[in-house]
Amino acid sequence: MTKPSDYSLNRRGFLKMALGTGIAMGTGISVPAFVKSGTREGIVEESEKMVHTYCSVCSANCGLKAYVDRGRLVHLAGNPHDFAAGDPFDPQGAGGRLCVKGHTALATLYDPDRAKFPMKRTNPRKGMGEDPGFVKISWDEAIERAAEGLSRVIAEYGPESFMVLSRSNPYSVRLGRAIGTPNFVAHQSTCFTTQQAAWRAMVTGGAKPWTYDIENTRYILGFGWDGLGKGKNPHVRNATRALERGARMVILDPYKSVTASKAHEWHPIVPGTDLAFCLAMIHVIIEEKSYDSAFVDEFTFGMDKLRHFAKEYTPGWAAEITGIDAETIVRIAREFASTSPAHIPSHKRDGAGPNYSNSWKLAQAQIILNALVGTIDRPGGTTLPRNPSMPGLDAVFPPPAYPTPRRERIDGWEQDNPFFQGSIQGNFATLAHGILNEEPYPLKAALVRGYNTTSFPHAVRATEALASLDFMVCCEIYPSNMAHLADVVLPEPHWLEISGFGARSYHSTYPQIAVRLPAVAPLHETRGFGTIVMQLAEAMGYGEYFRGVSGAEFTDAQLRAIGTSWDELTNSPTGIWEDRQPFQPRTEFNTPSGKIELYSTVLEEAGYDPLPYWAPRREQPSVEYPYHFLIGRPAMHKMTQTQNNRLIMEVYPENFATMNAKLGQKLGIRHGDEVYVESRVGRIKLKARLIEGIRPDCVQVVHGFGHWSRDMTRAYQVGANDGDLIPDMTFAEMRKLRDPGMGACMTDFGVKVYKA
Ligand SMILES: Nc1nc2c(c(=O)[nH]1)N[C@H]1C(S)=C(S)[C@@H](COP(=O)(O)OP(=O)(O)OC[C@H]3O[C@@H](n4cnc5c(=O)[nH]c(N)nc54)[C@H](O)[C@@H]3O)O[C@H]1N2
Ligand SMILES: Nc1nc2c(c(=O)[nH]1)N[C@H]1C(S)=C(S)[C@@H](COP(=O)(O)OP(=O)(O)OC[C@H]3O[C@@H](n4cnc5c(=O)[nH]c(N)nc54)[C@H](O)[C@@H]3O)O[C@H]1N2
Ligand code: SF4
Ligand SMILES: [Mo]
C-alpha cells in the first residue's frame, strides 16, 4: 500500500490537475485519472474511508467526498450525487466537481500556521504589525479571561459598549441580546445590500435570491456578472451548459473578466454608468412594445408610471454617459426582448453591488428589465428560493426575555435605514468613525468571529479603531491580522473537522441539504463557536439564556421539521437530502400589491425614489485621481482565506496593479515595475501587470492580499490590500447618499498610479 505521504497532493500533481483540466480557471471540469501511484485513482482505491461533507471555502457549498487513510485526509473529490441528474429544469449544483479552492482545502486543514490553542496577548500595545506576544493558555483560563475582560468593559461603559462583530449566528446573537447591546455589526453593506434593498422592496419582501436557472437562459446579459470567473461550480457549470446549448452571452464590464472572455460580446462600459444603459434599454423596450405583455399585465405593478418615466432616457443620451454607441444599446435591447428566455443575472459585487452610490438604482433597473421580459421566477431566469423550512434556535429553545437595547448603533446602521434595522447586518464603512469618535457613545469591547481587518474600507483606520478597544476576543482558525488585535484568541476547528448540515441557497429550485461529517478528528485544541459562546455566557452570568440548549437537539428538531433525521442523513449513501418537487412558478410576490412592483410603493413609502431616476455615481475621476478603481476576485483565491494555502500560492502568488498596456505606456510603466496606486485616503505598492483586457482609464487590484500578521508565514507582506485605498465614511456622508442599502461605495472613487 502506498504511504499517505506518497500520495498527498504535491505541486506537480496539483498543477497537472489544475492546468490540464481547466479547474485553475474555475470551470469546475472534472479531474481525469492519471496513471501511476499517487494518482487520484490510487488515492481513492487505497483510502480506508470515504466521508461525505461539503465545501465551505465559498457559499456554493459543493458536496464533496473526503478520502481518509490512517486518520489522514488524503484527497477531496466532488460528490456526483450533488444534483447531478439531467432533466432540463434540474439544478446542476456541483455535480461531482470541485473548483481549485475546494480541491486544495486540505492544505488549509493541515496548514502548520493555523491557530492551534487558546492564546492571550502579553504586549499591551496593539496595532498593525505590533507583535501581540501571544502565550498559550488553557481553555479554562481563556474562557475566564475573555469573560472577565468583556464583563469589565460592560460594567464600566454599559451594554452598548460591547459589539458582536460576526455574521449572524444564533448563539452570538443570543449572547448579545442577553447583554443588551444593539451592536451586531456584519459586512453586508460591502457585499450585496444594494441588491437586497431593491429585491426586498420590489419582489421578495425579504432577501435577494441567489438562484438562477441560467442553464435554460437563451440570452445572458451581464453587467459585471462574472459567474464563470468566481469558480463557483454551480454557476460555472450551469452557464457553461447554457453556452453549449447555444445561448448568446453579452457582458458589459470595464475589465475583461473570465466571463467576458467567454462571451460573444464584451463591452468595456464606463464604471458606474450601467444604470444609464439599463434605462435606455427600458426606453427602447417600452417604445417598441417588445416586452412580454402577458407577464407584465398579470404579474407586475406600475407599468403606466414606468412608461412615462422611461421617455426621457434615450439611447443617444445613454451613449454619451456609458461610452457605448446608441446603435449597440438599441440592438442589445431588441435582442434581449426578442430572445426568450432572456435574463440579466446579478450576483453580489457586480455593477449593482455596493460599489457605487447609484448601484442600488441599477439593481432596481435590472429587476424592471427582467420583469419586462418575464423571467423572474420563471425558467431561464432568477428564481426565488425554495429552501427547506426549518425552525431557528429561538423556536426550539425559546429564550427568557431580553433587556431593551439602546436604539443608536455604533455604525449608524439604524439611521435612515428603512429595511434592515434590527437585522444582523451593518456598515463596515462607518464603524471606524463611530468607534474613534465615540459617536454616539464609547464602544470598548468586541467578540469577533470570522472577519479580517482587510475587509473594511480604509483598512488602516479600521485597524486603528479596532486596536483602540479595551478588550477584544477573537474566534479564528488562523492567527490573522484581526487575531493580532485580540486580547484572547479562541481557536475554532476547520470545517473538515466538524459535523453538521448545510441548506443550499444557490440552486434551491427545490429544498436540498448536504450532510457534513468530520473527515478527520480535530487536529488542534479547538472548540466550536456555539460551545465557546455558551461557555462565555455562563462565565459572564448570562447562563440562564442557554439553559437546556443543546446543539444536538437543535439539529434533531431542524431535521425533524423537514421529515428526516441525523441517523438518516449520516447513513445516506449519497450524503445529499432533497425534496424534489416540480417547479411551480410564483404567481404572487411579497409586496403590498402582491405583484412585482416596477414602481415601488415600498421605496416610495420609505421616502426613496420609487423608480430608478438617473443619478451619476458619487465621485468622478479628477485631475488629481484620474483613473477608475476596480476590485478583482480571482477564481483561485477566496478573499483573505487562501494566501497561506501552499498549493494555491504556487499558482497565484501575489496581486498586482492591473492596467491597460496603453496606460502603462503613457505613464512610463512596464510590466513588472513596482508602482504606487494612490487614492484620497491611502496608497499601496504593488507590481504592475499590463494587459489589453481592461479600459485604459481603469486600475484593478485583486482583493485578499496584504496580510501583516507575521504568524501567517506564507501570506505575510505579500502583495497589498486594495482596502487601504477605499474611503470610509462618516454617518453624515453615508446619510447623504440616500441609499436604502447603505452600500459602502467600494469602488466609487478615483486613483492615480505612478512608479515606485
Ligand atoms: N473565487 C472567488 N469567488 C468568490 C469570492 C472570492 O473571493 N473568490 N468571493 C465571494 C464573495 S464574498 C462575493 S461578494 C462575490 C463577488 O463576486 P462578483 O459579484 O462576481 O463581484 P466582483 O468579482 O467583485 O465583480 C464582478 C465584476 O464587476 C466588474 N465591475 C466593477 N464595476 C463595474 C461597473 O461599474 N459596471 C460593470 N458592468 N461591471 C463592473 C468587475 O470588473 C468584475 O469583473 O464572489 C464570491 N465568490
Ligand atoms: N478591500 C476590500 N474589502 C472588502 C471586499 C473587497 O473586495 N475589497 N469585499 C467585501 C465582501 S464582498 C465581503 S463578503 C467581506 C468579507 O469579509 P471577511 O469575512 O472578513 O473576509 P475574509 O477575508 O474571507 O476573512 C474571513 C476570516 O475568517 C476566518 N475564518 C475562516 N473560517 C473560519 C471559521 O470557521 N471560524 C472562524 N472563527 N473564522 C474563520 C479566516 O481565517 C479569515 O481571517 O469583505 C468585504 N470587504
Ligand atoms: S465553488 Fe469551489 S470554493 Fe465554492 S464551495 Fe464549491 S468547491 Fe468550494
Ligand atoms: Mo461578499
Side-chain angles (χ1 to χ4, degrees):
M1 196 193 243
T2 327
K3 287 202 201 82
S5 57
D6 294 338
Y7 47 71
S8 66
L9 215 53
N10 62 20
R11 180 184 180 224
R12 292 184 62 141
F14 167 68
L15 279 177
K16 204 162 161 190
M17 286 157 67
L19 303 177
T21 65
I23 45 175
M25 294 298 290
T27 49
I29 296 164
S30 69
V31 180
F34 41 93
V35 263
K36 294 210 283 259
S37 69
T39 63
R40 170 187 157 110
E41 263 50 41
I43 292 163
V44 168
E45 278 160 24
E46 293 177 28
S47 299
E48 284 171 349
K49 147 171 127 158
M50 185 279 289
V51 179
H52 281 127
T53 178
Y54 58 89
C55 177
S56 279
V57 181
C58 88
S59 33
N61 293 352
C62 300
L64 62 77
K65 301 207 261 188
Y67 290 92
V68 180
D69 195 68
R70 279 164 280 173
R72 192 173 168 87
L73 177 64
V74 288
H75 183 58
L76 296 173
N79 178 352
H81 299 287
D82 192 1
F83 325 130
D87 49 292
F89 195 72
D90 190 43
Q92 286 300 293
R97 274 72 171 171
L98 299 178
C99 82
V100 71
K101 304 183 292 302
H103 271 295
T104 55
L106 81 182
T108 300
L109 172 75
Y110 288 120
D111 189 339
D113 287 348
R114 271 182 58 191
K116 302 186 190 74
F117 34 72
M119 298 184 292
K120 67 174 181 192
R121 91 183 289 120
T122 54
N123 178 1
R125 284 190 311 276
K126 293 182 181 177
M128 200 177 269
E130 191 74 54
D131 178 359
F134 281 139
V135 173
K136 179 179 176 181
I137 50 175
S138 69
W139 267 103
D140 282 353
E141 184 184 347
I143 295 289
E144 200 178 306
R145 259 180 185 272
E148 196 270 327
L150 298 177
S151 299
R152 192 170 9 95
V153 170
I154 293 164
E156 187 172 347
Y157 298 98
E160 64 277 6
S161 66
F162 165 75
M163 147 177 83
V164 179
L165 185 57
S166 163
R167 287 169 174 78
S168 181
N169 173 284
Y171 293 90
S172 54
V173 167
R174 188 174 286 206
L175 175 61
R177 295 232 156 99
I179 290 170
T181 180
N183 293 311
F184 298 90
V185 181
H187 72 284
Q188 292 81 357
S189 63
T190 63
C191 183
F192 57 77
T193 45
T194 44
Q195 314 237 27
Q196 197 175 351
W199 277 93
R200 187 183 187 104
M202 297 165 72
V203 187
T204 67
K208 178 197 187 281
W210 308 117
T211 307
Y212 18 69
D213 174 41
I214 205 155
E215 67 190 89
N216 289 306
T217 310
R218 304 280 306 152
Y219 194 88
I220 302 167
L221 174 60
F223 294 88
W225 182 72
D226 188 25
L228 294 166
K230 294 291 101 70
K232 284 189 170 167
N233 277 322
H235 293 176
V236 178
R237 283 180 23 95
N238 290 359
T240 307
R241 292 229 314 184
L243 294 175
E244 280 167 9
R245 291 173 178 182
R248 189 164 180 84
M249 185 157 79
V250 176
I251 299 292
L252 288 81
D253 193 319
Y255 174 71
K256 194 171 185 183
S257 64
V258 173
T259 310
S261 72
K262 302 284 173 207
H264 297 93
E265 292 176 38
W266 168 50
H267 299 282
I269 189 167
V270 177
T273 66
D274 307 58
L275 174 62
F277 192 101
C278 288
L279 291 174
M281 279 183 70
I282 296 172
H283 172 98
V284 172
I285 292 171
I286 292 183
E287 291 290 306
E288 298 186 353
K289 298 193 174 56
S290 55
Y291 51 87
D292 178 341
S293 53
F295 186 90
V296 168
D297 290 351
E298 198 170 349
F299 302 115
T300 73
F301 168 85
M303 185 60 179
D304 290 347
K305 290 186 168 112
L306 181 71
R307 188 175 281 121
H308 183 72
F309 157 84
K311 275 205 163 24
E312 64 179 293
Y313 299 119
T314 62
W317 163 82
E320 287 199 7
I321 297 171
T322 59
I324 301 174
D325 59 66
E327 295 70 42
T328 304
I329 299 175
V330 172
R331 176 178 57 79
I332 291 174
R334 286 183 180 151
E335 288 172 3
F336 181 72
S338 62
T339 319
S340 183
H343 175 214
I344 300 174
S346 179
H347 187 54
K348 290 180 179 171
R349 281 276 301 290
D350 43 43
N355 290 318
Y356 310 99
S357 60
N358 61 7
S359 292
W360 70 279
K361 291 166 174 259
L362 176 61
Q364 241 183 313
Q366 290 180 351
I367 293 170
I368 291 173
L369 281 167
N370 281 331
L372 289 179
V373 297
T375 52
I376 293 180
D377 209 52
R378 294 296 178 271
T382 299
T383 57
L384 307 189
R386 273 85 174 155
N387 290 335
S389 169
M390 291 185 274
L393 187 71
D394 286 4
V396 180
F397 301 106
Y402 293 122
T404 307
R406 274 180 77 151
R407 183 173 175 275
E408 307 83 36
R409 287 191 18 155
I410 196 66
D411 60 351
W413 190 240
E414 81 291 350
Q415 302 189 28
D416 285 341
N417 184 339
F419 300 146
F420 305 118
Q421 282 188 29
S423 67
I424 309 303
Q425 302 195 346
N427 207 312
F428 273 24
T430 51
L431 180 67
H433 169 80
I435 295 175
L436 290 170
N437 296 295
E438 303 200 345
E439 191 185 332
Y441 43 67
L443 186 125
K444 298 284 186 187
L447 171 64
V448 185
R449 184 197 193 206
Y451 281 134
N452 211 344
T453 59
T454 33
S455 311
F456 295 81
H458 203 338
V460 174
R461 182 142 61 202
T463 303
E464 195 188 314
L466 293 164
S468 78
L469 301 180
D470 285 356
F471 200 81
M472 180 198 286
V473 179
C474 181
C475 299
E476 252 292 350
I477 62 164
Y478 268 117
S480 61
N481 293 353
M482 185 67 89
H484 269 220
L485 301 178
D487 294 274
V488 176
V489 178
L490 303 177
E492 280 183 51
H494 186 268
W495 54 266
L496 281 161
E497 299 169 320
I498 58 176
S499 58
F501 64 88
R504 266 61 187 292
S505 57
Y506 277 26
H507 282 273
S508 52
T509 39
Y510 52 76
Q512 315 153 345
I513 59 178
V515 68
R516 164 166 287 162
L517 293 170
V520 292
L523 300 170
H524 306 297
E525 293 172 38
T526 51
R527 281 187 190 169
F529 187 62
T531 305
I532 291 175
V533 171
M534 290 202 276
Q535 291 177 341
L536 260 182
E538 188 66 43
M540 291 174 76
Y542 301 102
E544 60 173 312
Y545 286 89
F546 293 95
R547 274 305 162 259
V549 173
S550 137
E553 279 178 38
F554 182 35
T555 299
D556 284 346
Q558 290 197 303
L559 294 177
R560 234 187 349 262
I562 57 167
T564 181
S565 68
W566 184 241
D567 254 10
E568 190 176 85
L569 267 194
T570 49
N571 291 319
S572 145
T574 62
I576 303 288
W577 173 91
E578 51 191 16
D579 179 13
R580 285 202 183 219
Q581 297 159 7
F583 181 76
Q584 299 283 356
R586 297 267 161 100
T587 50
E588 260 197 62
F589 298 89
N590 196 6
T591 60
S593 60
K595 309 209 177 236
I596 296 166
E597 296 204 346
L598 309 174
Y599 180 99
S600 172
T601 58
V602 174
L603 284 168
E604 184 175 45
E605 179 84 1
Y608 295 87
D609 286 341
L611 288 160
Y613 290 91
W614 166 251
R617 56 186 265 193
R618 175 187 67 180
E619 280 179 40
Q620 299 298 332
S622 61
V623 176
E624 195 177 0
Y625 300 108
Y627 308 114
H628 300 274
F629 184 64
L630 299 173
I631 297 174
R633 268 170 165 54
M636 304 75 163
H637 277 288
K638 176 71 202 303
M639 295 193 282
T640 68
Q641 299 182 34
T642 41
Q643 292 72 28
N644 219 62
N645 182 306
R646 67 184 173 87
L647 297 171
I648 293 183
M649 285 299 270
E650 291 208 22
V651 283
Y652 202 112
E654 63 188 306
N655 63 346
F656 303 94
T658 298
M659 62 191 99
N660 192 289
K662 285 198 204 84
L663 179 58
Q665 203 172 28
K666 181 173 142 193
L667 301 174
I669 293 168
R670 283 166 315 180
H671 192 80
D673 280 353
E674 294 222 300
V675 295
Y676 281 111
V677 182
E678 186 176 321
S679 75
R680 64 181 165 88
V681 301
R683 71 173 188 178
I684 57 177
K685 192 167 148 188
L686 333 88
K687 285 189 199 132
R689 171 175 165 249
L690 303 188
I691 60 167
E692 299 295 330
I694 183 169
R695 285 177 62 91
D697 57 358
C698 293
V699 178
Q700 186 240 44
V701 177
V702 152
H703 178 58
F705 290 80
H707 295 243
W708 49 259
S709 162
R710 278 174 197 274
D711 295 329
M712 307 287 291
T713 52
R714 210 174 294 271
Y716 178 60
Q717 284 190 340
V718 174
N721 178 21
D722 57 307
D724 292 357
L725 303 174
I726 305 173
D728 58 357
M729 285 186 246
T730 62
F731 298 160
E733 284 166 334
M734 183 187 65
R735 276 199 307 270
K736 223 173 101 193
L737 296 176
R738 298 286 297 138
D739 172 353
M742 289 197 174
C745 284
M746 299 297 280
T747 54
D748 199 336
F749 59 93
V751 292
K752 62 179 161 188
V753 53
Y754 50 94
K755 259 176 119 154

